[in-house]
Amino acid sequence: MPLLTPPRYWFVIPAAGIGSRMGADKPKQYLMLGNKTILEHTITRILSLPSLAGIVVPLSSQDNFWTSLTILQHPLVHTIHGGAQRADSVLNGLNYLADKAHNQDWVLVHDAARPCVTIENIQALCDGVAGDEVGGILAVPVIDTLKQVASLNKIQTTVDRSALWQAQTPQLFRYKLLRDCLMQTLTRNENITDESSAVELCGYQPKVIEGRTDNIKVTRPDDLLLAEFILIQQEKLHEKQL
């Protein structure tokens, strides 16, 4: 039967990782950017999305930091236990939504460590795939020259970048389709690098919606300074537009 209401938009923000490349004394999503943690910046920004139905945050069972954040009190924020890998955490989040989301609802999976994503870009993604039965992702065209490197760090060849895009998040898919694809690919022990790869491995072709280069993922120590600079500049631009 057709839905009587339009599809809703749910977010899953996997935050069970430890961020080993950051080399910090805590998971990178709990490092500070200004007066808030990276994770708080990310969630706060997403909470301003007008069509938001809710946010599910899968956390590590060993997480001792989440309970210190005031944002946990927000009625649209729900926490669950994450899994061993990102795909397991996302699937746990989808399973949590099993009695809340309709099959045709949209689920946006977003990196906890991408605090600079703009609501305008998220809305562009939602609008760009609105009539699609699969979904799509934010991505940007690759602009740097790419080298394929062999052993001993020797360049093997220069890769043609003309058809290459760098995937970002959010990645947006129909609820049932994404859940089914993650279940199938995890059962087959396939290499799932992001949600789109799970959908692709099941024979679907997600759309690409052009994102912004300032939607960076905080991965290494230098990224903290860059993310803080981007947030300050975005805030200044927002104030000018008011």
Side-chain angles (χ1 to χ4, degrees), residues 84-235:
Q85 303 295 329
R86 175 195 174 93
D88 300 300
S89 291
V90 174
L91 183 57
N92 285 359
L94 298 177
N95 289 338
Y96 173 81
L97 293 174
D99 61 350
K100 302 172 181 63
H102 297 299
N103 288 345
Q104 291 298 103
D105 278 357
W106 291 107
V107 176
L108 298 97
V109 183
H110 187 59
D111 297 325
R114 283 191 194 270
C116 304
V117 66
T118 67
I119 290 300
E120 292 79 12
N121 215 189
I122 296 174
Q123 195 61 59
L125 173 63
C126 294
D127 294 343
V129 303
D132 199 87
E133 286 304 306
V134 177
I137 71 170
L138 287 179
V140 291
V142 171
I143 59 173
D144 293 319
T145 298
L146 297 179
K147 304 292 185 181
Q148 184 172 324
V149 179
S151 59
L152 302 177
N153 288 341
K154 297 288 188 178
I155 294 174
Q156 192 172 43
T157 186
T158 298
V159 180
D160 179 13
R161 68 172 187 250
S162 61
L164 297 180
W165 290 63
Q166 181 177 328
Q168 299 181 335
T169 67
Q171 301 196 353
L172 170 64
F173 298 100
R174 299 285 184 180
Y175 169 77
K176 184 178 186 303
L177 182 140
L178 179 57
R179 189 182 182 201
D180 288 349
C181 290
L182 281 173
M183 291 173 65
Q184 291 173 34
T185 50
L186 283 169
T187 299
R188 298 195 297 255
N189 291 317
E190 297 196 73
N191 183 29
I192 309 168
T193 55
D194 61 359
E195 292 67 49
S196 181
S197 67
V199 173
E200 295 161 38
L201 286 166
C202 290
Y204 299 97
Q205 290 186 300
K207 295 180 69 173
V208 166
I209 303 300
E210 186 162 355
R212 294 167 45 128
T213 56
D214 61 0
N215 182 17
I216 68 166
K217 184 178 182 180
V218 178
T219 304
R220 294 179 172 83
D222 289 351
D223 298 331
L224 279 171
L225 290 174
L226 180 56
E228 188 165 9
F229 174 78
I230 290 170
L231 289 173
I232 291 170
Q233 297 307 309
Q234 288 178 346
E235 183 62 31

